[in-house]
Amino acid sequence: MYIAEVYDGISIWTNDTAGGDVSAGVRHLDNHPSCTGKGGDRYEYGTVRNMEVFNYESGRTEIRGSLAKYICGHSCDIVRLNDCSDALRNLSERMQNDLSSWNVGTLEFGATYQMKNRPQEYLNVLGYLGDVPPERCRSTTLYYNSSKFMQLRLYDKGAEAVAGGWIPDGFRGLNLLRYEWRAIGDIAAGVGWHESVKVATLTDTEFYKTCMNKYKTMYDKITKRADMPAGQKPTTVGQFDKQGINMLLVRYPEIYADIEQTLIGNGFADRREKSRYNRRKQEQMNAACRSGLEQELTEKIHAVQ
């Protein structure tokens, strides 16, 4: 099952106060001191639930936070597109400002999945994203910086929640794996949208579908390694040979190709044997790429609507 999906972390901003006096709106918020930023730019600060509001003297106003936490108080529960629409409408009311024309500067899109095994075991079967290597943050998080506008992250959501002290009732002890992408700066370029992304765009069903398609296709581009989870290690020579070839095919394709060329050369003299070899190789690659942990994760990600 998947537990949470759609938009999570978000930042929106504007330099235009045509929708109303932002300063007046900030003064009605909780925690509204005047502050000075690192660059010396003074700003008024306020909060709406978990959302942070920064109203700078320069005229720029920015709101940052998690829409999922704004709605549920945490990001482990089910969040739908209409929930986000209601949240953005409520935020506009609290800000006393129409946010629909504000720019989206950062957008996170993802889902949390309840898995059979520990999240780290699934991270171990994920390889390169094209020519981009995975980056590790401890054993619980995997990053892919696919472009200057797009980052992918897969991590142990349960461990994050426990460490943050906010894991909700009913989720403690579950194997929670989260996969999300994060678009930064030019959201349209990161997602593949035809125009600049505004707050109103987030409630557009076609934009949502574009985000969902990006979510699944980016995952599909990650190479999958042969997996040998605990309890399924080879117990016979035959199993060792099969799993060894699988690992070699998927994890070290260049080495396999070199061995293949050295042993086979220009191919088999018998066309039937060559066909048999190619068929066996394809079967082994399919088994390696679609087995165990990878298959479970892939099926869950593609089940998200």
Side-chain angles (χ1 to χ4, degrees):
M1 64 174 291
Y2 66 89
I3 297 173
E5 64 164 291
V6 85
Y7 312 123
D8 188 12
I10 189 175
S11 70
I12 60 176
W13 62 273
T14 186
N15 290 322
D16 183 10
T17 58
D21 183 355
V22 179
S23 298
V26 173
R27 295 189 190 103
H28 286 89
L29 303 180
D30 301 326
N31 306 317
H32 50 74
S34 295
C35 308
T36 302
K38 293 181 179 180
D41 193 4
R42 291 189 58 77
Y43 62 90
E44 292 179 289
Y45 175 83
T47 58
V48 185
R49 299 181 195 171
N50 66 297
M51 305 297 282
E52 296 183 294
V53 183
F54 303 83
N55 182 37
Y56 294 92
E57 283 186 346
S58 62
R60 179 185 176 96
T61 304
E62 185 173 355
I63 302 176
R64 310 171 195 160
S66 165
L67 274 179
K69 291 180 181 178
Y70 186 81
I71 296 166
C72 304
H74 56 79
S75 56
C76 282
D77 218 337
I78 296 175
V79 178
R80 300 291 186 179
L81 185 58
N82 57 348
D83 297 321
C84 292
S85 300
D86 293 342
L88 292 169
R89 189 180 306 111
N90 177 269
L91 187 57
S92 290
E93 293 172 357
R94 293 291 304 276
M95 287 292 298
Q96 299 179 13
N97 191 279
D98 182 4
L99 304 180
S100 61
S101 63
W102 285 36
N103 303 288
V104 179
T106 304
L107 180 64
E108 291 179 355
F109 188 98
T112 300
Y113 305 91
Q114 182 180 341
M115 311 301 291
K116 296 177 181 178
N117 301 286
R118 295 184 308 116
Q120 292 89 330
E121 295 185 38
Y122 300 90
L123 302 184
N124 290 337
V125 305
L126 300 177
Y128 276 57
L129 172 62
D131 59 354
V132 177
E135 297 180 26
R136 284 270 185 176
C137 181
R138 298 183 294 277
S139 63
T140 58
T141 304
L142 206 63
Y143 289 94
Y144 295 91
N145 292 302
S146 64
S147 74
K148 63 180 180 179
F149 302 124
M150 179 68 68
Q151 181 188 76
L152 273 63
R153 184 166 68 137
L154 296 99
Y155 62 98
D156 187 334
K157 186 69 174 180
E160 180 197 63
V162 170
W166 57 265
I167 190 165
D169 294 339
F171 291 93
R172 189 177 299 275
L174 298 181
N175 295 312
L176 301 178
L177 174 64
R178 183 166 179 83
Y179 161 51
E180 66 188 20
W181 57 245
R182 186 171 188 253
I184 308 167
D186 190 342
I187 308 298
V191 175
W193 191 241
H194 57 270
E195 59 186 8
S196 60
V197 178
K198 308 291 186 180
V199 169
T201 313
L202 300 179
T203 61
D204 185 319
T205 54
E206 288 304 314
F207 179 75
Y208 175 81
K209 291 177 182 177
T210 299
C211 290
M212 181 62 73
N213 182 62
K214 187 76 173 181
Y215 182 74
K216 295 178 180 180
T217 56
M218 292 299 287
Y219 168 80
D220 289 340
K221 291 179 180 178
I222 299 174
T223 58
K224 315 302 188 295
R225 300 168 175 170
D227 62 292
M228 295 171 62
Q232 296 184 26
K233 294 186 181 298
T235 57
T236 68
V237 173
Q239 290 175 353
F240 176 84
D241 288 343
K242 183 177 180 179
Q243 291 191 359
I245 293 174
N246 285 352
M247 291 181 69
L248 194 62
L249 273 166
V250 180
R251 201 175 291 191
Y252 308 106
E254 296 85 1
I255 296 176
Y256 181 89
D258 184 63
I259 295 173
E260 183 181 47
Q261 181 62 33
T262 300
L263 294 178
I264 300 175
N266 295 325
F268 295 93
D270 188 323
R271 183 179 297 178
R272 185 175 58 183
E273 286 299 305
K274 181 178 180 180
S275 177
R276 180 185 174 194
Y277 168 79
N278 288 336
R279 185 168 59 251
R280 177 69 61 83
K281 176 183 174 182
Q282 188 60 51
E283 289 172 354
Q284 289 172 327
M285 291 185 69
N286 290 342
C289 292
R290 299 293 304 170
S291 62
L293 302 171
E294 186 273 332
Q295 183 176 2
E296 180 192 356
L297 180 57
T298 298
E299 289 176 352
K300 287 180 182 291
I301 288 175
H302 278 275
V304 179
Q305 300 296 324

